[in-house]
Each structure stands twice: as C-alpha cells, then as structure tokens.
Amino acid sequence: MKKEKVRRLISASAMLFPLLLTVAILTSLVLKALPIISLKSLPTLIFSSAWQPQKGHFGLWPFILGTLWVTITAFILAAPVAIFTSIYLAEYAPGKLKKILAPGLDLLAGLPSVIYGLWGILLIVPFISKYLAPLFSSYGSGYSILAAGIVLAVMILPTIINISVEVLNSVPTELKEAALALGATKFEVIYYVAMKKARPGLIAACALGLSRAFGETIAVMMVVGNVPEVPHTLFSPAYPLPALLANNYGEMLSIPGYDSILNFAALLLLLIVLIFSLMSRLYLNRLKRRS
Amino acid sequence: MVERGRLSLRNLNVYYGRNQVLKNINLDIPKNSLTVIIGPSGCGKTTLLKCFNRLLDEIEEARVEGQVIVDDQNIYDPGVEVTLIRKKMGLLSQRPQVLPMSIYDNVAFGPRLLGQKDKSYLNPLVEKYLRLAGLWEEVKNRLNEPANRLSIGQQQRLCLARGLAVEPEIILGDEPTSALDPQSSRNVEAHLLSLKTNYTIVLVTHILRQAKRLADYVAFLYLGELIEFGPASEVLVSPRDPRTRAYITGEIS
Amino acid sequence: MDTAWEKAKFKRPKRKIIDSLFRLAAFSSAVLVVVILTLILMTILIRSLPALKLSMIIRTPGTGYYLGHEGGILNAIVGSLELISGATLIAFIIALPGVIYLNTYLKKNSPFSEAVRFSLDVLWGIPSIVYGVFGFLLMLAWHLRASLLAGMVTVALVELPILSRAMDETIRMVPSEIKEAAYSLGASRWQTAIRVILRQAFPGIITAVLIALGRGLGDAASVLFTAGYTDRLTTSLFQPVATLPLAIFFQLNSPYPEVQQRAYASAAILTFLILLISLVIRFFSRKLSRHKIK
Ligand SMILES: Nc1ncnc2c1ncn2[C@@H]1O[C@H](COP(=O)(O)OP(=O)(O)OP(=O)(O)O)[C@@H](O)[C@H]1O
Ligand SMILES: [Mg+2]
C-alpha cells in the first residue's frame, strides 16, 4: 500500500507539472520585464517607435507593427486558400485522392521552419525582388513583409486545413442530404448549410493558424529583412518581435534595461499568441465535447 | 399528356462497389396514393428511396443501372437537371434534419433557392405549408427562433412543411417516425394520410402496424429483391410469397 | 404557383454557374496547395543535389570548413539526435505518469483535469522562441552554460504539451469497458491494469512520441540560445551541441557559395529525416492498430 501511495504521489506531481510550468513561464517573464515597465511607462514601451538601446530608447512599436503586418498578410493569403482546400477535401475530393493528399498535408505540417525559410530565400525572395516588386515600381532586395507573409501563409495552411476538414466532416451527411433533397445545388448546400453549421469551428481553425503565425520565428526572420523601422508597404522589410528576440536575446549586452526590454518583448509576444490560441482551443474543445 | 406524380422503376440494379444491393427491380408506384416499403434491416429500403431522388449520386461507390421514370422521364438520363428532379420530391429522413437557421428560413429555404425573395410572397407561403404540416399554431409566434429549439416531433413536421414548400409531387419518407414519441408519430402519420389525395407518398417503415394503418399499396423487399407488390389488403393479409408471409408473421426480421 | 416555376427557369443558369465556379475555386485551391508542396520539396532537392556528398554525413567540419573547405555536418546530425532523444525522454518521463493520473485517478470531467488540460493547451500555444527565452532564464538561474543539457531541457518543454495531449487523446480513446475490466483486477495490481491500458494505447503512444521527436528535430528557435553550437561531436551533457536546423541557418548566412550549397544539402538531410519520421508514423498507426480491440 505504501508503494501505491508513492506511485500516486509521483504521477500526481507529474500531472501538476504543466500547471506549474505555465505559471513559472508567466511569472518569470513578468518579473524580468518589471524593471523596464517601472522605468518607462507601458504606453511608451509599446507605442514609441524609437529603438535606440544605447541611448536608452526602447520603443517596441516598429516590432509590434512588423509582427502585425507579417501575420495579417500571411493570414489574408492563407485563410481563403485553406478554407477552399478543406472544402474540396471534405466535400468534393474522391476517396482515393484524399488518401494521397493526407500524407502530403502531414508532411507539409511537419516540415521544420528552417526549411520553409530556406525555400523563401531560394524562391520567394528572388521572385519578389525580380518580378513582383518592380511591377509596383518598388526596387529592393526582396527581403520583405510580403516574402515573410507568403512563407508564413504556406506554413499555417496545413494547420487551418486539417482542422477545417475535421470540422466540415462533422456536419452530418443526412443534413446535407436534406438540403440536396430540396433541390439545392452542391454550392448551396455547402454555403448555406455545411459552412453555416461549421462556422464556429472554421473560425477557430483560422484563429489557431493566426496564433501560430504570430509566434513563428526562424522562417520569418530568414526572409523579412530585420530592419527596425515602421514598415510602409508590403515590399518594405520589417522586424517582428520573434526575430528581435532571436537575434538579440542570447547576447545580453551590458546596456541597462536591455535584457529587461527583451523579456518584456517576449511577454508581449506570449500574451498576443495566447489570446488567440486559447480562444480557439477552448472553442474547439467545446465543439468537440458537444458532438 | 404527362401524368404527374407517377414513379416507375425498370430493371433497377444498384451496387455499392462490387456488392449488389438492389436486384433487377421493376415497380410502378401509383399516383396519389401511399405506398409502403417493408423489409428486414439491410435489405435495401433506404437505397431504393435514395434512387428516387438521385441522392445516391452523392455516394462515391454507388452505381445505378436501369431506369427510374418520373413523369415519363428517366431521371438517370444524361442531361437531366438533378436539382429539378429533387425538387419534385420531398424527403423525410429517419431523424429530422432541420437546417441551421430559423423556423421561417427553413420553410423558405427551397423557394428562396428558386429566386423567390419577396416577403409578400414568402410570408403566406410559409404559413400555408406550416399549416399543412400542422405546425402553424405552435410556432406562429416564434418563427424567427432557431429551428433546433423545437421538439423532435415538431422538427419532423417542420421538415415536412419545408419539403412541401418546394411544391413536390412525391413525398419520400425513410422511417420518418422512428425517432418520435408515439404522440408525435400519430401526428405525422395523420398529416401524411391527409396529404395523399394530392401527393404520391412512398414510405419506408419497420413497423408493420404502421404499414397497416397507412398503406394503400405495399412493396416487400428482401435481400435486395422485390418479392411482392400489391394493394395493402392483399399483401398484408394474404401474401402470395412464403417469404412475405414469414416476414409478416415475424419469423424473419 | 407558376411564378416559382418561371423564376426557377430563369435562375437555373446562374445557380449552375455559381455552383461550377465554387467547385472550380475549391479544386484550384487544392491544386495550389499540392503545387506549393511539390515546389518546396523540388527546390530543396534540386538545390541540394550538387552538394550532397557522403562526406556531408560522415565528417565533422574540417579546418576552414566555413570558407568552403572539406568537411561535413556529422556534428549537427549526431547533435540533433542526441538532443531530441534526451529531450523526448525527459518529456516522456514527465508526460506519461501525468497522463495516466489524468485518465485513471481523476473523474472524466473533474475541474482538476480540465485545469491540467487547459494548461497543456496554454503550453501548446506558446511559441518556441518564448521557450528559448525561458530556457535561457533557467540556465541563468542554474548557472549553466549553453549546453546539450540546457538544450535538452528546453526542447523537452517544447515537446511536453504535444506529447501529453497526443497521449491523452489516445488513452482517453481506450474503451471504458477495457479500463473497467482492468481496474477490477484491484488496486494491488495497478501495474497490470496500467499495462492493459497501455497496450491498448500503444500505437497511439508511439505515434505521439514520434510526433514529438519530429517537432523537436525541426525546432530551431528554442535551441538558439540554449544549446550553443560546436564543430565537434558532443560527448558530455555540459558541452554545447550542434543541431541540424541551426547548421542550416548558420551555413546559409555564409558569404561563400560552397558553404551555402552545403546549407541546402543539410536541408535535404533534415527534410529526409522528417520524411522518415512521418513515414514511420504512418506505418505504426496502420500496422499496430490491427492489434487493438475495436
Ligand atoms: N454507403 C454504403 N457503402 C456500402 N454499402 C452500403 C452503403 N450504404 C448501405 N450499404 C449496404 O447496402 C445494403 C442496403 O442498405 P440500406 O441502408 O438500403 O438498407 P435498409 O433496408 O435501409 O436497412 P435499415 O432497415 O437497417 O435501414 C446493406 O447491406 C448495407 O450494408
Ligand atoms: Mg434504412
């Protein structure tokens, strides 16, 4: 019986680990970020675009904007393609084709971000600088928000597609048949019935993709240019928060406040991502439980 | 002159992959009457019903041979507009399938697809068919509520009203009362009976007593074959085929 | 009701056109996704072929490697394998008892298990760069240098929620009759009970571990400041360790074309390993699920 107690204790504490880890990550970041928050005011840190650590200017606005631009570009590119693809897979594709496409999507989902980044450097960046940007009379290296947006869009495609397909498949066949029996075309069934029924799930899928896009680091930083300025067009370079961390965190220069501001940046990133991912996870879990 | 509401099957064979589930069926379903299809589980009743409005098209591995003739036209002819075929038939499924929208929108769904957006046309239409399905008094004050708030029995009558609103000639029902409580079942049955003067009704059921209550004609299906078809008084009372007799006396089920 | 019929005739072409266009849009999107996938694989393959030599995978970087001289990335291959096996082991050791507790001792939807699952979801959502930051803070607290150990711990944290959630899903799937039959063997034979459940969930657990391995193998952001980098093979937990993603990343930043070529070759190697893992996952989930009671 004693053995049983020990076993219980160990497995209970193992179970508690995720809870403790969550708390630990949040508190350590908050503690490390506090010095700079108390030194400067929160609005200055977030909304000032002056980033000159040597002079003590720690405005994160360019980085926040960079994150937003890149993520939103990626989302606008990815969401329609992903939703349409999942509609094709769930409603139109013959069974054999589904069997072929599923491993392909899994592979796409499993490819490491460096590979995506490399692909971006080899294909997307030159394409933008040589062909696309000149069309809009913009001449640059191609390392830009658009490049990062495209790479990121491709990366979040499988996330959105996989969840959306699952959500669409959960719409009962009998319901679709009922609509067909009223003389609806396939489009009308999908649009007015299946997508309407699946709408919360589809939104959650997109939000999850969005949250992945916010936090993606390596692939984005390989193609985005990393210039700490407020971006103006899709062809400008940018410097998103994750890239800021990746490029500077380990070094910890002996500038006062520098490590604290980086920790604050990490905290900020964490909070943004968590808002999206938690909302969608909670939502999806609730949907799953209901079905 | 085209006779509306007649339904005939000629040499109908249906396969799921290599598995043949309907074998050489020939059947003429009389118009403005209620025909009940009976038979043991898995004998192909649902499949037969899905042939009538080409819902089998949606099943990848299903293959149909032979003819299904509605209004003197083989609906499996190439070039036939399948949505118009389906519009000719209302469908009641085993569990009521209300669309994810309001009660009103459920009934108006079919007419709206046909381009009818005019409220002054839709309002009386919705009322007419809800009345016909015996639901109007119960829902007239809550037309804009989501349809899934209705009870199961009410939902099935809503499905009936929705099906009637596309002005079909034929009503197909696949055990439409099996998910309902006895009271609601009776209610739906009563409405089906009152509808048969204007519609051709084909009903699949497991319940022999229901068949006796409702049927003008009965078709008995066994292992994919049509064993017997005729007026209810003959098939249910003095069946010719021993298999039909065995089923009716409850020896096979 | 002839008006409806008239309208129907009028509307039909438009409805059919919309229907076809929609189908076309869905189909083209799917094609686009396939094209993109092919494009990625082809780009990596074609660019890496000239540099894919045997020496890439059997040698560590020689002197002047980053100027384009002889050598390979054995250090990163071995380093990555060391790192992910250690990390996955740590994650597994924490995840398994926790998941078992979650599914055996706790009631199905107790607020406690909800809270734990919720925190796993929170952890899953945290970007790996933030884990990198947290790992670095841990290093500072424990006075560790960037090392294999620090990298392992950090990657283990990244893998933990993935592993736990995936195992949780499969163990939850075990039919409750089997669970009940197992528990009725009595508390003293707890281990037997667990063994029955684990056997049922075995393919799922293997799959979960493989998914975690793949995730760890590809993750660069979390090891960026925790694992360091070295041109030699790592033989101790306290030495820095090279990893494949960072090998690609660093070689790519070189101005020498030969070195960049090798980055492509390294990418091909990494892609191959990921492909291998995903094939094994498919193999396992198909082959092993046959032994499950349905
Ligand atoms: N989509 C399908 N793919 C393959 N076989 C099918 C499919 N649907 C039905 N079947 C098979 O076809 C046969 C007839 O099925 P059907 O659903 O028509 O029977 P049924 O008479 O309606 O049965 P029940 O009374 O149980 O509803 C069954 O053997 C069934 O297993
Ligand atoms: Mg049936």
Side-chain angles (χ1 to χ4, degrees), chain B residues 90-198:
Chain B
L91 177 72
L92 286 178
S93 48
Q94 222 161 351
R95 323 199 103 263
Q97 300 292 340
V98 298
L99 304 174
M101 46 191 83
S102 72
I103 297 171
Y104 183 97
D105 291 341
N106 260 274
V107 183
F109 187 78
R112 275 185 180 144
L113 290 182
L114 298 177
Q116 192 53 259
K117 302 242 156 62
D118 196 353
K119 278 261 172 192
S120 62
Y121 175 85
L122 284 176
N123 287 343
L125 191 108
V126 167
E127 178 176 343
K128 173 181 164 193
Y129 290 109
L130 281 173
R131 275 189 197 284
L132 211 52
L135 200 61
W136 176 252
E137 292 301 327
E138 290 157 67
V139 300
K140 66 180 177 193
N141 294 323
R142 44 196 282 219
L143 288 174
N144 290 319
E145 270 183 36
N148 57 16
R149 290 211 196 128
L150 295 174
S151 76
I152 297 286
Q154 288 173 323
Q155 287 186 17
Q156 193 63 299
R157 278 178 286 144
L158 178 63
C159 290
L160 182 60
R162 183 185 68 191
L164 294 176
V166 295
E167 291 155 19
E169 301 149 17
I170 300 165
I171 297 171
L172 307 173
D174 191 356
E175 305 181 33
T177 60
S178 64
L180 310 185
D181 61 278
Q183 186 60 42
S184 315
S185 293
R186 286 302 171 105
N187 203 339
V188 170
E189 278 182 19
H191 283 97
L192 287 175
L193 272 179
S194 72
L195 286 170
K196 78 178 182 190
T197 43
N198 293 320

Side-chain angles (χ1 to χ4, degrees), chain C residues 268-288:
Chain C
I269 294 169
L270 179 58
T271 308
F272 173 76
L273 286 176
I274 294 287
L275 198 64
L276 198 68
I277 291 179
S278 83
L279 284 179
V280 177
I281 291 178
R282 297 228 141 230
F283 174 80
F284 259 95
S285 49
R286 205 174 304 156
K287 181 113 183 163
L288 282 173

Side-chain angles (χ1 to χ4, degrees), chain C residues 121-139:
Chain C
D121 285 345
V122 172
L123 290 176
W124 199 339
I126 296 180
S128 62
I129 186 78
V130 175
Y131 280 105
V133 166
F134 182 68
F136 190 79
L137 293 178
L138 280 183
M139 274 166 52

Side-chain angles (χ1 to χ4, degrees), chain A residues 1 3-4 7-12 14-19 21-22 24-25 28-29 32 80-82 84-85 87-89 92 97 99 101-108 110-119 121-123 154 157 161 183-188 190-191 195 211 214-218 221-222 242 245-252 263 266 269-270 273-274 277-278 281-282 285 288-289, chain C residues 15-16 18-20 22-23 25-27 29-34 36-37 39-41 43-44 47 93-95 97-102 105-106 109 112-134 136-137 140 157 160 164-165 169 187-188 190-191 214 217-221 224-225 244-246 248-249 252 263-264 266-268 270-271 274-275 278 282:
Chain A
M1 273 299 100
K3 215 163 145 197
E4 163 70 14
R7 208 148 40 201
R8 216 180 147 130
L9 201 71
I10 291 177
S11 50
M15 185 196 68
L16 284 182
F17 189 81
L19 272 175
L21 181 60
T22 314
I25 292 177
S28 61
L29 286 183
K32 288 280 175 181
V81 176
F84 271 119
T85 304
I87 287 173
Y88 182 75
L89 289 177
Y92 291 107
L97 194 63
K99 269 191 194 138
L101 287 182
L105 272 179
D106 281 354
L107 181 63
L108 202 57
L111 278 183
S113 18
V114 237
I115 303 290
Y116 282 102
L118 180 58
W119 176 69
I121 292 177
L122 290 178
L123 217 66
V154 173
L157 274 178
I161 292 174
T185 62
K186 189 105 181 171
F187 160 74
E188 286 156 352
I190 295 171
Y191 188 76
M195 284 180 79
S211 80
F214 269 119
E216 177 51 42
T217 309
I218 300 291
M221 111 193 208
M222 284 165 84
L245 293 171
N247 280 328
N248 302 294
Y249 196 82
E251 296 163 17
M252 291 295 168
N263 282 298
L269 178 65
L270 179 63
V273 170
L274 281 188
S277 81
L278 283 184
R281 280 271 166 218
L282 282 178
N285 286 350
K288 235 180 226 169
R289 223 169 301 144
Chain C
R15 287 172 70 199
K16 283 198 87 150
I18 293 177
D19 191 46
S20 314
F22 188 72
R23 195 196 161 98
F27 179 72
S29 298
V31 170
L32 182 64
V33 172
V34 173
I36 289 171
L37 176 65
L39 216 54
I40 293 174
L41 296 181
T43 311
I44 304 295
R47 290 302 190 102
I93 288 174
I94 301 173
V99 169
I100 288 178
Y101 193 92
L102 209 53
Y105 286 109
L106 292 182
N109 288 320
F112 215 53
S113 62
E114 295 283 293
V116 172
R117 291 201 173 102
F118 178 75
S119 71
L120 283 172
D121 285 345
V122 172
L123 290 176
W124 199 339
I126 296 180
S128 62
I129 186 78
V130 175
Y131 280 105
V133 166
F134 182 68
F136 190 79
L137 293 178
L140 291 184
L157 298 184
L160 180 72
S164 297
R165 254 342 209 139
E169 292 288 320
S188 61
W190 192 79
Q191 268 182 319
L217 181 61
D219 204 274
L224 207 50
F225 355 102
L244 268 173
L246 289 187
I248 298 168
F249 188 66
L252 210 55
Y264 310 153
S266 315
L270 179 58
T271 308
I274 294 287
L275 198 64
S278 83
R282 297 228 141 230

